[in-house]
Amino acid sequence: MRQNIQQHRVVVIGAGYTGATAAGRLARRLRSEDVSITLVDAEPDFVERVRMHQLAAGQDLRPRPYREMFAGTGVRLRLAKVTGVDVDRRTVSVTAPDEAGEPEDLAYDTLVYALGSAWNTHAVPGAAEHAHDIAGRPGALRLRERLAALGPGEPVVVVGGGLTGVEAATEIAETRPDLDVSLIARGALGDWLSPKGARHLRKVFTGLKITAHEHTTATAVEADRVTTAEGDIPAAVTIWTTGFSVHPIARATTLQTGDTGQIEVDVTMRSVSHPDVYAIGDAALVAGPGDKPLRMSCASGVPTAWQAADAIAARLTDGKLPTISARYFNQCISLGRKEGLIQYVTADDRAVSAALTGRLAAFYKELVCKGAAWGVANPTLGLPTRRRRTTSEPAPASTTVTAAEAACGSGPGSP
C-alpha cells in the first residue's frame, strides 16, 4: 500500500514562454493530489515577447489570459512581482504587481526559476534615460504611444543590428512609411547571415527606405540624438536593441551563477549548487552543441522548459529521465508583415548558404510565432499524457540528458 506523503510544492517564477510551458507540462505529468504547482507572474496575460515589435508599431495582439490558458490544469496562478529568492530557506518573496502592500514569502520544495531577461544598455550614457526598449510589454506600449505622436518626416533611430533591431526597424518603417527610420549596426548589416540572407535583408531595407549606419557604435543617447564616433544622428525616438541581460535576483542568492548572472545548471536544468532549484530559458547557463552556451531566445528556452519539467516529474515519480539532443535548425526573422527571412543554420547556430525569403518566409515566421504561443497552452504538443503518482523520495540525479532546440528559431539579439 502506498504511504500518504505531503503534497510536494512546486513554485515557478516567471510566466514567459519557458515558465508557462514548464508549469503546464508539469501539471500534465503529475497528479494534483500529490503536487501543487504555483505560477508567479506580474502580468495577468501571456506576453508574446517575439511580437513586441508589432505591438510597438501599433498593431493589436490577441489577449491570452493565463486563467483561461491554465483552466482545468491544476496550475495556480499567483499575480505578483518576485522581489527575492532565498534558496537556503527555500522561499520566494513576492509583492503585489504595483508593489503595494506587505511582501509575502512563498515556500517551495522545488523551484523553477524562469525570470528571463530585460534590455541591456551596456551602461551607455543616456540610453536608460532617453531610449526605448521592446524587451517586454510595458516598454513596447510606451514606445507605441511615442511613435503614434510623431509627425511625418521625424527621425526614428534603432540601435542594434541583431534580430530584434532588424525586426523593429522593418516593422516600424512598413507601418509608418512617413517616418525617417534608420538603424545603427556595430558590424555590417546582417553579418550573421549567409550571403543570400544578407542580400535579401539589404533589399528589404532599400525598399522600406531604411538607412543603415554600418560599422558604427552608439556612444551616448540624448533626447534628440544618438552620438557616434562618426557624428550625431538626429533621433526624435531612439530604440535600444543591443542585447539582453538576465534578471539580477539570481546573482543576489547563493546559487552558483556564471559571469553573465545566469544560473549554472546540469543537463537536466537543475542547479549545480542547489538540487531543488531548476533554471530555464534566459536565466539558465546551458551548454549547447560544441559546449557553446545556448543564446537567449525562444528557440533555446522552450526545450529547457520541457527538459526541466520532464526531469522534475521523473525524479518525483521514480521514472526514467528524458534524453533529448541539442541543436539549432534555423533563425526566423520577420521583416514587416509582407517580408520575412528564414536563415538555416548548423547545429551550433552558424549560418549555412540556404535561406528562405519573401512572402513565403513571412508566412513561415507567422506560423512559428503562432505555434510558439499554441505550445505554451499545449505544452505536451497535443500528445496524450498520463498523470503519475509521486514517490516519497525523488529519484537520484543523472547526467545523460541534454537540452534541445525548438522550432521557433531566432537570431542574435532575439527577444
Side-chain angles (χ1 to χ4, degrees):
M1 180 180 295
R2 183 179 184 273
Q3 295 180 347
N4 291 328
I5 62 173
Q6 184 178 359
Q7 194 177 42
H8 190 91
R9 299 163 298 181
V10 177
V11 175
V12 182
I13 54 174
Y17 286 98
T18 60
T21 296
R25 195 172 177 98
L26 272 171
R28 289 162 174 80
R29 294 277 189 257
L30 302 168
R31 294 196 178 191
S32 58
E33 308 97 286
D34 300 335
V35 178
S36 67
I37 302 170
T38 303
L39 179 62
V40 183
D41 199 86
E43 295 266 4
D45 299 337
F46 174 67
V47 177
E48 291 187 81
R49 199 176 183 190
V50 296
R51 293 189 187 272
M52 290 300 97
H53 56 287
Q54 294 178 239
L55 184 65
Q59 299 166 36
D60 293 325
L61 304 182
R62 171 189 168 186
R64 299 178 184 273
Y66 287 122
R67 296 199 181 280
E68 293 181 10
M69 186 177 293
F70 292 109
T73 66
V75 174
R76 304 171 185 176
L77 179 63
R78 179 62 185 271
L79 192 62
K81 180 179 179 180
V82 177
T83 58
V85 175
D86 189 328
V87 292
D88 301 311
R89 292 179 56 239
R90 295 198 296 186
T91 59
V92 175
S93 297
V94 300
T95 63
D98 58 2
E99 299 188 8
E102 293 296 320
E104 180 183 346
D105 285 345
L106 302 179
Y108 66 82
D109 297 304
T110 296
L111 174 67
V112 181
Y113 187 108
L115 290 181
S117 60
W119 69 325
N120 188 353
T121 64
H122 299 284
V124 172
E129 295 80 10
H130 301 299
H132 291 264
D133 79 283
I134 53 173
R137 181 155 54 188
L141 288 173
R142 286 191 295 269
L143 176 58
R144 176 190 181 108
E145 183 178 1
R146 182 71 185 95
L147 290 172
L150 294 181
E154 293 200 69
V156 174
V157 178
V158 179
V159 182
L163 183 146
T164 305
V166 164
E167 291 194 329
T170 51
E171 198 74 49
I172 293 168
E174 181 186 84
T175 305
R176 290 289 305 276
D178 59 315
L179 298 176
D180 179 12
V181 179
S182 63
L183 179 141
I184 297 175
R186 180 171 294 181
L189 181 65
D191 57 6
W192 78 91
L193 299 168
S194 66
K196 178 181 178 180
R199 285 195 301 271
H200 185 71
L201 181 59
R202 289 183 181 278
K203 177 183 175 182
V204 172
F205 264 52
T206 299
L208 293 173
K209 299 180 180 179
I210 301 170
T211 301
H213 301 277
E214 300 179 80
H215 305 289
T216 302
T217 300
T219 57
V221 180
E222 296 184 31
D224 61 350
R225 75 196 69 180
V226 176
T227 299
T228 74
E230 291 73 28
D232 289 349
I233 300 173
V237 171
T238 300
I239 306 168
W240 198 267
T241 68
T242 61
F244 298 96
S245 60
V246 297
H247 200 290
I249 283 181
R251 184 170 275 173
T253 71
T254 56
L255 287 164
Q256 185 169 323
T257 59
D259 294 339
T260 60
Q262 293 170 295
I263 299 169
E264 295 187 15
V265 296
D266 65 15
V267 290
T268 65
M269 303 304 114
R270 186 160 68 168
S271 164
V272 298
S273 61
H274 292 74
D276 48 9
V277 177
Y278 290 73
I280 57 178
D282 292 354
L285 185 60
V286 183
D291 289 329
K292 179 181 177 182
L294 296 180
R295 54 182 159 85
M296 296 183 186
S297 65
C298 167
S300 302
V302 170
T304 68
W306 298 340
Q307 189 81 317
D310 290 354
I312 292 168
R315 287 181 172 125
L316 290 177
T317 61
D318 198 18
K320 182 179 179 181
L321 287 168
T323 301
I324 310 174
S325 299
R327 65 151 297 145
Y328 289 95
F329 296 96
N330 53 43
Q331 299 171 4
C332 302
I333 310 166
S334 68
L335 303 173
R337 297 300 88 205
K338 301 175 183 178
E339 281 280 0
L341 171 60
I342 309 301
Q343 177 63 65
Y344 297 101
V345 299
T346 60
D348 61 352
D349 206 28
R350 291 174 290 114
V352 299
S353 59
L356 182 66
T357 62
R359 288 185 178 271
L360 184 57
F363 177 72
Y364 185 113
K365 167 70 174 183
E366 179 62 21
L367 285 181
V368 166
C369 291
K370 288 181 177 178
W374 178 86
V376 174
N378 300 272
T380 59
L381 306 182
L383 298 175
T385 58
R386 175 187 172 191
R387 289 183 169 88
R388 297 182 178 274
R389 303 302 302 261
T390 61
T391 57
S392 57
E393 295 292 337
S398 171
T399 57
T400 61
V401 188
T402 59
E405 167 70 11
C408 50
S410 51
S414 62

